Amino acid sequence: MMQIFTRALIAGVVALSTSVSAQALDIGVQVPTTGSEATYGQDMINAVQLAINEINADGGLLGEQLAIVTGDTACDPQQSVNAASRLVSAGVVGVVGGYCSGATLPTMQIYGDANVPFVIAAANSTQLIPENPGNAFMINSTGADQAAKAVEFLEGQGVETLAIVNQGDAYSQDLADLTAEAWEEAGHTVAATETVNKGEQDYSAVVTNIRSANPDAVFWTAYYADGGLLIRQLRQAGYQGEIAVGDGSNSPQLFDIAGQAAEGVFAFSNPTAQFLPEAASFIEDYEAEFGGAPGPYAPLAYDGMKLLAQAIEEAGSTDADAIVAALASVDGFEGLAGPISFTEENTLARSNFIVLEGQGGAWTRADD
Amino acid sequence: MTTFDVVLQQIVNGLVLGSFYALVALGYTMIFGVIKLLNFAHGDLYMVGGFVGFLALSAISSVVGAGWGGVAIAMFMSMIAVGCLGVVIERVAYHPMLRAPRLSILITALAVSLVLQNTVLALTHGQYTAFRSDFGFGGINLGNLFITYNQMILIGIAALLMIALELFVSRTQYGRAMRAVAIDKDMCQLMGINVSAVIAITFLIGSALAAAAGTMAGAYYGSVWYFMGFLIGLKAFTAAVIGGIGSIPGAMLGGLILGLLEAFGTQLPGVGSEWKDVFSFAILILVLVLKPTGLLGKSEQERM
Amino acid sequence: MPDAKPALPDHGLGPFLQDARVRWVACLIALAVLIAAPLIFGPYGIVILTNALLYVVLCLGLNIVVGYAGLLDLGYAAFFAVGAYTIGVLTVQFGFNFWVAFPFAILAAILAGVIIGGPTLRLRSDYLAIVTLGFGEIVRFSARNLEVTGRASGLSGIQDPWLFGWHINSSIDYYYVFVFLAALAVLASFRLANSRLGRAWLYVRHDEDAAEAMGINRVKVKLAAYVIGAIFGAIGGAFFATNLGAISPESFSFEQSVLVLMAVILGGMGKIPGVILGAFIIILGPELLRDLGEFRLLVFAVGLLLIMLFRPSGIWPARRA
């Protein structure tokens, strides 16, 4: 114990005092590896590692091997600023990652000031767009796209009145607001908007409130753990309408927590590996390497790394401006999750959302 | 649902939630009573209780099933284990600090809380663990009002534990000693009361109650998580203070009041789920300004 | 980290530092090291040190409430939030210049100090703890729910201020700003401790009734502690907001309040070097342990526990009269 402690402390002091150390080409991965979102973060690191292994096996980039430097954000703004500064200090060529929108937001300025290309693989709040200094590229569709998909699909299900529940964080509140706006614009009624706190466990008061408003559908915009509890409690209390969840809840673990209650729940989701025709070999490789199935954001993290690598290749150097220019001019890059091109605002040019439905304790496609 | 149904349903919701708050608040209040410590690690004992209950249930469910019978046995095992953990924590972390400045021991409690949380974080990698119990969704339908059997059993167990505690404290010799120690520790020492043992028993009971709540919460809500003790610890502390810290009936009353406040805050127009915590805290502050000792607390001189 | 010398009051470096001249020299050396630090540490080191210095300001502010006046405060992040959000709202939503908004941040902090302090100061410390905690949560939830504070996403695009032609924008600029603020906070804390007010706090802390009998208006004196502590917090918050450029409710949680309190008591409340040391440990500890991954907070917590067990009055405690 003492030895680990001392070693870590020494490593820490060294990290604190060395300025730049770029021998190989270092790629930064900014994701949470502690805290409640740690699973997603580790999964994204694995996917990036897989992409890097493939690139290195092909002789690397610009004649050099790639290596990962991780920055743990713990989904906290202050911690993510520290992590981003550490990545910048380590002299990374570019950064892939960005999971929680709230924790990604303040790091954009840091990468902007340091002129480091940043491929945002998961975070998708529309609040990120105006903060982009120009070097960040969002390869996940934004909350606005998801809201549009939700409205389109729920309309198709004959839903008229909708209750929206968020968790009071940047990501889920943004999605809730956007959906509420789009829903009312489409001429329907928002029956209730509710905010719960993460880790609260008991949502019975909110459930009663929803039941008294009696909407045709309930839309949960936050993460799977609390979403699972809410779904369970809604069904236990006898709520009969449709339930839909956002892309933060597309984890298979939703079924562990909600159990039977998750049957028939719809999820709006970024394309996960199991539903991507191109990703069959990716799933195989991932399982061989890490001994488990890739999680919901693995394909996007993999795409992000491959995209960054192509941009570096095209730039022909580690010059940030050239890499950013190469990223901006990407046109139909073939990723696992479909072709990537960017809008003027550096967001994905098309919506990539699909709809899933819970059946027999797993997700199936509902929109084919 | 008519307004009347909604009110009744929210009362049920508030009572269930309040039972959890009350069980955890009891431990807070008892420990505060004997050593004047705000035990910030108490919420984490609730969390550990949830995990131990989960492990116990996994071990025995093949024999006794995972219905309420199995959960009750798991809960009992968890109460014993976490009760002992509470005593160990008291011996290792708080006992050497009893003569130190009062705020130092508070920080020790915070450090213990961090240790417990992060130990479980490291062991579970921060994952939510599904707590599988075979509870039906059955219940009684009274018009639009719906009360599940689970809710009734849960409130029943909580009430039973609280009555047992009240009897223990008011009728037994140890209970009397506990009350005496709460009033004047040094005098008790002189009177030949084993103060050390009384403190240990207080931690044993307080921690066991938190473990009971943790196991029941795990079984009732269906999952346990390393951070689940944080919010309830905060709420239980609030409940204990509303009732009057140091007072056992006060903790029960405070827990139920806070549960009801939150349920009705969520329902009230102009408050809603978004503002319900602001609403509860505002009422808390109002209560303390009007009645500075809490609802059932006694006033007392103190030194920092 | 010039303040990290584990000196004790009655042996080791303790008596050595009692000499006023030596103390001045020590302060000057510390300041010189801080000023030269950007030459030694990389950009990441500077960000972390800036963070630690922000904590020095916050901890010294809370130290006035807890250490000097003996009032438990579990909602100090609220004052920090009031400073940050006043700057954020006035500059982003109403287009104020930073320096025009700055006095409003101080005013808002004073107001917050009076609101929280006024009606509650007659409470016992445990009740005071929960009231301050509740106040902290009310501030955070309000920031999360109100349109003007940007709700959960918070406010972004907070402009960096200019000071006499100096555009404070790089991390090194902010580092020096916080060196200055921390030095100011240390100086203010020293002056306050030795002032009439400081002695009044000491009286009230040791025996409220006797202090009252001596003609000290205890409510006024306690209120002064809250207000001054709040001002420290708000100044820290104001520059925190412009430094990050974006603020959101997550930064002002109960954990933040607890962390600041922990630093104050860990170092040794009431004693300025102790509080500074505590701030550095709380910030640098988890950062230095980053390579431990998910174990880092566990190792940190065990360390904290051991420190408290072996030095129950803090690492560098105030001498008790």
Side-chain angles (χ1 to χ4, degrees):
Chain A
M1 186 70 187
M2 205 56 214
Q3 209 181 358
I4 304 173
F5 179 82
T6 328
R7 224 184 294 154
L9 209 61
I10 291 170
V13 171
V14 170
L16 209 59
S17 54
T18 51
S19 40
V20 179
S21 66
Q23 299 93 3
L25 284 187
D26 284 334
I27 304 292
V29 182
Q30 177 194 313
V31 288
T33 59
T34 59
S36 58
E37 313 301 321
T39 354
Y40 289 112
Q42 194 53 51
D43 185 51
M44 289 170 73
I45 292 177
N46 291 348
V48 172
Q49 187 65 56
L50 204 60
I52 283 185
N53 290 351
E54 289 171 17
I55 295 165
N56 284 346
D58 285 348
L61 261 186
L62 310 175
E64 291 192 72
Q65 296 280 296
L66 296 179
I68 282 188
V69 184
T70 53
D72 171 26
T73 66
C75 268
D76 168 81
Q78 181 102 54
Q79 295 247 32
S80 61
V81 165
N82 294 353
S85 317
R86 193 176 184 197
L87 293 182
V88 168
S89 268
V92 295
V93 185
V95 176
V96 180
Y99 178 74
C100 298
S101 298
T104 307
L105 189 81
T107 63
M108 296 177 87
Q109 196 197 344
I110 294 176
Y111 295 129
D113 289 349
N115 200 14
V116 174
F118 184 18
V119 178
I120 301 176
N124 64 354
S125 166
T126 49
Q127 306 279 342
L128 296 175
I129 298 168
E131 293 311 306
N132 191 346
N135 61 318
F137 295 85
M138 296 164 71
I139 61 167
N140 193 5
S141 292
T142 62
D145 293 333
Q146 181 168 187
K149 186 79 189 180
V151 170
E152 174 202 321
F153 182 79
L154 291 171
E155 272 182 334
Q157 296 288 312
V159 173
E160 185 52 45
T161 52
L162 180 68
I164 303 173
V165 190
N166 75 75
Q167 204 176 260
D169 60 313
Y171 154 75
S172 70
Q173 207 183 56
D174 181 56
L175 181 54
D177 290 352
L178 291 167
T179 309
E181 207 175 295
W183 189 250
E184 283 180 338
E185 241 166 54
H188 307 297
T189 316
V190 175
T193 38
E194 305 284 343
T195 304
V196 301
N197 301 319
K198 190 176 177 63
E200 212 164 28
Q201 289 187 317
D202 194 307
Y203 299 125
S204 56
V206 164
V207 165
T208 301
N209 209 356
I210 290 173
R211 279 188 62 219
S212 69
N214 200 22
D216 299 334
V218 176
F219 183 30
W220 164 254
T221 62
Y223 302 101
Y224 70 86
D226 297 82
L229 291 176
L230 179 74
I231 292 168
R232 214 176 132 106
Q233 290 173 33
L234 273 169
R235 289 294 186 228
Q236 270 181 9
Y239 174 71
Q240 307 277 342
E242 304 286 2
I243 299 177
V245 298
D247 68 334
S249 293
N250 63 1
S251 163
Q253 280 181 291
L254 185 78
F255 298 98
D256 287 342
I257 294 171
Q260 274 295 317
E263 292 298 307
V265 165
F266 296 110
F268 308 111
S269 168
N270 56 296
T272 51
Q274 68 183 111
F275 300 109
L276 293 168
E278 319 295 324
S281 71
F282 167 75
I283 298 179
E284 243 166 62
D285 292 347
Y286 188 103
E287 282 174 349
E289 186 80 26
F290 305 107
Y297 290 98
L300 286 172
Y302 177 89
D303 283 355
M305 184 58 233
K306 281 292 178 78
L307 177 70
L308 181 63
Q310 189 202 286
I312 295 171
E313 190 85 61
E314 204 172 296
S317 74
T318 58
D319 177 55
D321 294 328
I323 298 172
V324 169
L327 281 170
S329 63
V330 156
D331 186 18
F333 170 87
E334 277 306 322
L336 296 177
I340 297 175
S341 313
F342 293 108
T343 62
E344 297 273 287
E345 293 172 315
N346 291 1
T347 57
L348 194 64
R350 63 182 170 84
S351 169
N352 66 356
F353 280 99
I354 58 175
V355 185
L356 308 177
E357 185 180 359
Q359 270 179 357
W363 293 116
T364 54
R365 273 300 278 268
D367 57 346
D368 278 335
Chain B
M1 292 172 95
T2 62
T3 314
F4 182 67
D5 291 332
V6 170
V7 169
L8 283 183
Q9 187 75 59
Q10 292 293 20
I11 289 177
V12 173
N13 296 338
L15 286 179
V16 172
L17 184 58
S19 305
F20 284 115
Y21 289 165
L23 279 179
V24 182
L26 279 172
Y28 251 114
T29 261
M30 289 170 67
I31 290 168
F32 182 85
V34 294
I35 62 170
K36 304 283 174 275
L37 161 71
L38 294 174
N39 185 14
F40 274 107
H42 203 69
D44 299 291
L45 288 171
Y46 163 90
M47 177 270 296
V48 173
F51 272 96
V52 174
F54 162 75
L55 292 176
L57 188 64
S58 312
I60 61 171
S61 61
S62 56
V63 187
V64 295
W68 271 111
V71 170
I73 298 172
M75 183 179 95
F76 191 65
M77 289 161 78
S78 174
M79 284 173 78
I80 294 174
V82 176
C84 294
L85 176 66
V87 175
V88 170
I89 289 173
E90 193 274 326
R91 286 292 116 162
V92 173
Y94 302 152
H95 199 73
M97 304 283 292
L98 285 180
R99 302 277 161 202
R102 275 196 55 198
L103 284 179
S104 298
I105 189 164
L106 191 74
I107 297 303
T108 313
L110 286 166
V112 170
S113 158
L114 275 178
V115 169
L116 291 176
Q117 250 172 45
N118 285 289
T119 306
V120 178
L121 165 71
L123 291 175
T124 60
H125 305 291
Q127 297 273 17
Y128 288 77
T129 308
F131 198 123
R132 284 179 214 285
S133 46
D134 303 334
F135 295 164
F137 286 2
I140 302 175
N141 248 321
L142 302 168
N144 266 319
L145 178 68
F146 186 64
I147 308 174
T148 63
Y149 297 125
N150 293 334
Q151 288 173 325
M152 287 186 270
I153 295 173
L154 206 133
I155 296 176
I157 294 180
L160 216 66
L161 286 171
M162 287 188 240
I163 291 169
L165 177 72
E166 183 57 37
L167 287 178
F168 176 82
V169 173
S170 59
R171 300 287 166 82
T172 65
Q173 196 157 6
Y174 271 113
R176 213 169 300 139
M178 209 182 274
R179 281 179 293 148
V181 169
I183 294 167
D184 193 332
K185 220 184 304 168
D186 295 329
M187 192 55 82
C188 288
Q189 200 93 50
L190 293 176
M191 299 287 284
I193 293 175
N194 186 345
V195 173
S196 239
V198 171
I199 293 176
I201 285 178
T202 309
F203 269 86
L204 183 82
I205 295 174
S207 310
L209 287 175
T215 309
M216 284 200 290
Y220 178 67
Y221 298 119
S223 65
V224 284
W225 178 45
Y226 79 96
F227 210 60
M228 70 189 253
F230 174 76
L231 217 52
I232 197 168
L234 220 62
K235 296 286 172 66
F237 176 28
T238 310
V241 173
I242 292 182
I245 197 155
S247 154
I248 288 177
M252 298 180 201
L253 184 67
L256 294 179
I257 288 179
L258 187 62
L260 290 169
L261 272 181
E262 291 194 359
F264 280 98
T266 305
Q267 191 70 49
L268 279 179
V271 180
S273 51
E274 208 173 25
W275 290 99
K276 75 160 199 302
D277 290 278
V278 173
F279 174 72
S280 318
F281 279 120
I283 297 219
L284 163 84
I285 293 176
L286 205 67
V287 165
L288 288 182
V289 169
L290 295 178
K291 192 165 185 328
T293 51
L295 293 175
L296 301 180
K298 295 181 201 70
S299 74
E300 192 186 326
Q301 273 291 336
E302 57 142 5
R303 295 277 172 272
M304 288 277 282
Chain C
M1 226 172 59
D3 306 287
K5 284 168 283 189
L8 314 176
D10 45 3
H11 55 91
L13 278 173
F16 178 66
L17 283 176
Q18 295 313 314
D19 187 325
R21 268 173 310 172
V22 178
R23 202 157 52 195
W24 271 110
V25 171
C27 282
L28 284 178
I29 292 174
L31 206 58
V33 171
L34 279 177
I35 288 172
L39 303 172
I40 309 160
F41 298 108
Y44 164 61
I46 291 305
V47 167
I48 303 306
L49 282 179
T50 307
N51 220 344
L53 290 169
L54 164 69
Y55 255 65
V56 169
V57 176
L58 297 183
C59 292
L60 286 171
L62 182 62
N63 183 44
I64 289 174
V65 181
V66 179
Y68 289 177
L71 302 162
L72 184 50
D73 186 345
L74 287 178
Y76 191 69
F79 298 140
F80 181 43
V82 163
Y85 269 104
T86 308
I87 294 292
V89 169
L90 290 182
T91 60
V92 174
Q93 311 280 38
F94 298 97
F96 278 42
N97 176 286
F98 174 82
W99 295 110
V100 180
F102 191 71
F104 286 100
I106 309 257
L107 265 178
I110 293 174
L111 201 65
V114 172
I115 288 175
I116 183 64
T120 54
L121 284 177
R122 289 173 196 280
L123 294 175
R124 299 174 24 179
S125 68
D126 316 299
Y127 294 88
L128 199 55
I130 188 79
V131 170
T132 49
L133 188 160
F135 181 67
E137 291 295 281
I138 287 176
V139 168
R140 185 172 67 90
F141 280 118
S142 303
R144 189 194 76 179
N145 295 343
L146 291 173
E147 288 297 335
V148 72
T149 51
R151 309 185 68 207
S153 306
L155 295 167
S156 47
I158 300 166
Q159 296 299 315
D160 295 313
W162 288 79
L163 182 65
F164 305 121
W166 173 37
H167 192 192
I168 306 170
N169 65 351
S170 75
S171 57
I172 294 191
D173 293 341
Y174 275 104
Y175 171 75
Y176 283 119
V177 166
F178 277 102
V179 168
F180 174 73
L181 290 178
L184 206 64
V186 169
L187 203 66
S189 293
F190 259 118
R191 299 288 300 223
L192 278 168
N194 298 320
S195 68
R196 257 182 86 86
L197 191 56
R199 283 191 296 277
W201 283 328
L202 189 73
Y203 273 129
V204 170
R205 193 174 75 221
H206 280 283
D207 195 331
E208 240 176 76
D209 299 327
E212 189 106 65
M214 300 280 288
I216 292 171
N217 181 340
R218 61 178 182 162
V219 170
K220 224 181 204 170
V221 163
K222 284 179 173 181
L223 206 56
Y226 262 108
V227 168
I228 295 173
I231 293 174
F232 275 59
I235 293 176
F239 284 96
F240 170 81
T242 60
N243 183 13
L244 234 54
I247 46 175
S248 60
E250 285 115 325
S251 300
F252 310 99
S253 58
F254 174 62
E255 284 104 317
Q256 184 78 268
S257 299
V258 163
L259 229 53
V260 178
L261 182 67
M262 225 175 206
V264 169
I265 296 171
L266 178 76
M269 59 173 177
K271 180 90 177 168
I272 294 167
V275 172
I276 295 172
L277 177 58
F280 272 82
I281 292 178
I282 289 285
I283 291 299
L284 295 183
E287 281 301 324
L288 293 179
L289 297 171
R290 247 181 200 279
D291 289 324
L292 288 180
E294 61 192 5
F295 289 97
R296 74 185 166 124
L297 286 181
L298 177 57
V299 172
F300 177 65
V302 171
L304 272 185
L305 196 56
L306 291 178
I307 294 177
M308 289 319 287
L309 288 178
F310 288 105
R311 298 203 57 82
S313 301
I315 301 171
W316 197 336
R319 274 161 299 135
R320 296 251 152 193

